[in-house]
Amino acid sequence: MTVSVQELLDTFGVPGANAAGLLCDRHPAGDTAFTVISADLSAVDISYGELREKSTQFAASLASLGVKQGDHVATLMGKSAELVIALLGIWRLGAVDVPLFTAFAHDAIDFRLRASAARLVICDADQRRKLVPPGEVPTDASRPVVVARGDAFGYDHSLAEMVAGTGAFASLPPLSETLDGGSVAVGGAGALVQLFTSGTTGMPKGVPIPLRAVASFVGYHQWGLDVRADDVFWNAADPGWAYGLYFALLAPMAAGNRSLLLSAGFSPELVWAVMEKFGVSNFAAAPTVYRSLRAGSSGAHGHTLRRASSAGEPLTPDVITWSRDAFGLEVRDHYGQTELGMVAGNAWAENLQAPLRPGSMGVPLPGWSMDVLADDSEERTADGESGRIALNVPESPFMWFTAYVDGPLKTAERFSSDGKWYFTGEAGRRDGDGFIYFSSRDDDVVIMAGYRIGPFDVESVLVAHPGVAEAAVIGTPDDIRGEVLEAFVVLDDPALASEELVVELQQLVKTRFAAHAYPRRIHFIDELPKTPSGKVQRYMLRQNRAAMTDLG
């Protein structure tokens, strides 16, 4: 059943809104919430009733460790039933989840834990080692750790025991005796999540996501993706990032729809196999996934897709052309940000469908108002003229982002002085029918395989090497990932440049930042191009790199 923008806001945005009730408890206990699939294609269903029971017990166990309303609890976990139970347990207490991407290394994780003042960490057993610097072991219990999907040792607590109410968590008082109704109603303005997004300068910024935002997530779920009650829905994105968290977990739970979670690593063969075995009818993924499927496709795969959607980076026309043959339907591109959710798209809902226009992200979705403004004013550009993509805040009832955590200057950069416009930081144009076309980012964030990577994060690791004087990172085109990282490095002693040093620097980034975010190529140069004020001119590096490619 389709509901209106106002009905969604009246459900998720009101003062008495209760996250656990809206995401879980109100749905029929016997309905399947998630199907968790392993690499061998075996699968386990978990119902809303099981989620309610297990997350309530887990919340009681968390409360016994001192977690209370407003506390931040980090989750360093892959796609699993344990992750969903943990999230619901956190939200039952009115606490705030801090998602951590499992490809992050220690330094990236440690920054987010400190910046969010996380009281406790819940992690998969195979991620536990990342909570301490490489080569070190835990020495105290200053920040409690709950270990899932594996054994807990020393100071750590076992998620399995916390969920079962056994061991140290036996004989706890029922949560209903501690909390009225068994969960805290934080209201529409109450925070559910603090997610970090990367920019080009400075450290990653904390984005507080209120319960009210779920109204817009459900709006995209029903209008953009057109997920229906009888769909087998699979969003392949990782829940450590916005698209996976918002639309593989939160939106399906809020709508009461079944969602697939693949706990194994990605491969084209496995994606095709899941589609076939489980009869996936509604699929969403980054363009990288579709490009990988195309590269590894034999053309003989069976599927039952009714809808296929893409987000995270611009969808190139060649993927759309391929999808007509591979799926019998066109992949439709959608657009959003961590701070917004999804705001525009080539919607799948039948009453919103329009013929695809190559290169277009579509039109604003219900609940959102977008336009393209001139670079030097807040006037609308002429049709076809490039400018700044912006949201009209007063005319966007779904708008929920107001400020970064402890980031007033960065927040001010996002909004016009009168608060009317939110600037996405991206450039594009609008045609005469209101379709918007992405042209470029007016910052230097790299989007690789749908993941936003701030150059500053990688550069900070590179310059930590004792032989590196300066470094700058850019994105360059890649057939599969969309973009990959390349680094330009100035050495203290140019004579040290070597292939061995390239490998050493790549490994340093993998170890200290993230395994996926290392520079695929490293160029040793004498100096970086800079403005008179000393700011690195990455656009010149991109131009020089493009010229190198043109010359072969």
Side-chain angles (χ1 to χ4, degrees):
M1 179 181 68
T2 300
V3 294
S4 68
V5 169
Q6 190 58 53
E7 287 173 318
L8 290 171
L9 291 172
D10 289 344
T11 299
F12 296 95
V14 295
N18 183 301
L22 291 169
L23 296 172
C24 177
D25 300 351
R26 65 175 176 154
H27 303 309
D31 285 3
T32 298
F34 293 94
T35 297
V36 182
I37 304 168
S38 301
D40 63 1
L41 299 184
S42 61
V44 175
D45 290 336
I46 185 165
S47 69
Y48 284 103
E50 291 175 276
L51 286 177
R52 178 173 186 171
E53 178 184 353
K54 292 180 177 181
S55 66
T56 298
Q57 179 62 50
F58 183 65
S61 298
L62 281 179
S64 75
L65 297 178
V67 177
K68 60 185 183 303
Q69 183 174 357
D71 284 343
H72 287 66
V73 177
T75 49
L76 179 59
M77 305 173 73
K79 304 169 191 175
S80 63
E82 288 83 357
L83 171 61
V84 182
I85 291 166
L87 293 176
L88 286 170
I90 292 167
W91 294 330
R92 284 190 187 281
L93 297 178
V96 180
D97 174 49
V98 181
L100 301 171
F101 184 37
T102 54
F104 280 149
H106 169 266
D107 288 6
I109 292 168
D110 187 60
F111 167 78
R112 287 158 176 79
L113 293 178
R114 289 185 286 105
S116 64
R119 181 187 183 96
L120 180 146
V121 182
I122 308 168
C123 69
D124 288 337
D126 63 0
Q127 298 288 321
R128 177 63 177 91
R129 59 183 171 77
K130 296 181 180 178
L131 299 181
V132 295
E136 296 187 17
V137 296
T139 57
D140 60 48
S142 57
R143 180 186 285 120
V145 175
V146 175
V147 174
R149 299 203 286 173
D151 294 327
F153 300 100
Y155 294 105
D156 295 347
H157 305 285
S158 164
L159 183 140
E161 289 186 356
M162 295 174 72
V163 170
T166 58
F169 301 96
S171 305
L172 293 177
L175 197 62
S176 58
E177 294 183 9
T178 307
L179 300 175
D180 182 26
S183 60
V184 172
V186 298
L192 285 186
V193 176
Q194 182 175 319
L195 189 59
F196 285 85
T197 185
S198 295
T200 58
T201 58
M203 302 305 288
K205 304 178 290 296
V207 179
I209 301 158
L211 178 54
R212 181 184 185 277
V214 179
S216 69
F217 302 164
V218 177
Y220 171 67
H221 186 75
Q222 69 177 12
W223 292 309
L225 299 174
D226 190 33
V227 180
R228 302 178 185 178
D230 58 352
D231 267 329
V232 177
F233 173 65
W234 184 19
N235 180 335
D238 192 285
W241 295 88
Y243 196 65
L245 175 66
Y246 298 171
F247 305 112
L249 298 183
L250 282 167
M253 281 196 288
N257 294 131
R258 173 196 180 202
S259 180
L260 303 188
L261 295 177
L262 177 62
S263 61
F266 170 81
S267 74
E269 297 77 18
L270 186 55
V271 171
W272 284 119
V274 170
M275 284 189 181
E276 292 177 21
K277 178 170 180 178
F278 294 89
V280 175
S281 59
N282 197 314
F283 183 62
T288 300
V289 171
Y290 292 106
R291 286 193 288 266
S292 297
L293 291 177
R294 179 184 61 184
S297 174
S298 66
H301 297 284
H303 64 83
T304 56
L305 280 186
R306 186 180 63 83
R307 302 286 188 250
S309 305
S310 175
E313 58 187 288
L315 184 66
T316 50
D318 57 302
V319 174
I320 298 173
T321 300
W322 165 81
S323 69
R324 294 189 183 111
D325 293 329
F327 298 137
L329 72 161
E330 300 167 320
V331 178
R332 288 182 166 251
D333 196 14
H334 303 145
Y335 169 80
Q337 292 185 332
T338 299
E339 297 91 336
L340 305 171
M342 304 304 291
V343 298
N346 297 281
W348 272 115
E350 290 182 352
N351 62 322
L352 297 175
Q353 276 190 41
L356 289 185
R357 305 187 182 198
S360 174
M361 67 174 66
V363 299
L365 294 167
W368 298 100
S369 176
M370 298 175 67
D371 216 325
V372 180
L373 306 181
D375 290 331
D376 56 357
S377 74
E378 292 169 19
E379 298 297 319
R380 298 178 76 244
T381 60
D383 293 343
E385 181 181 329
S386 181
R388 298 176 294 168
I389 299 175
L391 269 73
N392 187 317
V393 176
E395 296 182 11
S396 298
F398 272 159
M399 182 69 180
W400 52 267
F401 174 76
T402 57
Y404 296 110
V405 176
D406 296 327
L409 294 179
K410 291 297 181 183
T411 300
E413 293 174 1
R414 283 296 196 188
F415 291 92
S416 60
S417 58
D418 60 1
K420 177 180 179 180
W421 296 102
Y422 168 90
F423 304 118
T424 64
E426 293 169 332
R429 58 185 174 84
R430 176 195 60 252
D431 68 18
D433 295 320
F435 283 75
I436 298 174
Y437 299 75
F438 173 91
S439 59
S440 66
R441 292 180 296 278
D442 60 14
D443 62 17
D444 296 302
V445 168
V446 179
I447 300 182
M448 185 181 76
Y451 300 127
R452 290 174 61 87
I453 303 169
F456 182 83
D457 293 311
V458 181
E459 292 163 359
S460 297
V461 175
L462 292 172
V463 298
H465 188 282
V468 173
E470 292 184 297
V473 171
I474 64 171
T476 58
D478 181 80
D479 289 342
I480 298 297
R481 300 176 182 86
E483 286 184 300
V484 294
L485 296 173
E486 292 197 20
F488 292 80
V489 172
V490 179
L491 297 175
D492 289 321
D493 181 0
L496 295 177
S498 67
E499 285 302 314
E500 290 76 14
L501 182 56
V502 168
V503 174
E504 183 179 344
L505 292 173
Q506 289 173 329
Q507 187 59 42
L508 187 67
V509 174
K510 292 179 184 179
T511 302
R512 297 189 57 179
F513 177 54
H516 70 293
Y518 70 94
R520 264 54 179 185
R521 298 183 185 87
I522 294 179
H523 309 277
F524 297 111
I525 59 176
D526 293 334
E527 61 180 353
L528 297 175
K530 297 178 182 178
T531 65
S533 64
K535 183 177 179 181
V536 175
Q537 295 174 303
R538 292 188 184 85
Y539 77 91
M540 292 188 64
L541 293 174
R542 287 192 289 268
Q543 290 176 353
N544 294 340
R545 182 66 183 85
M548 291 165 57
T549 302
D550 292 340
L551 292 173

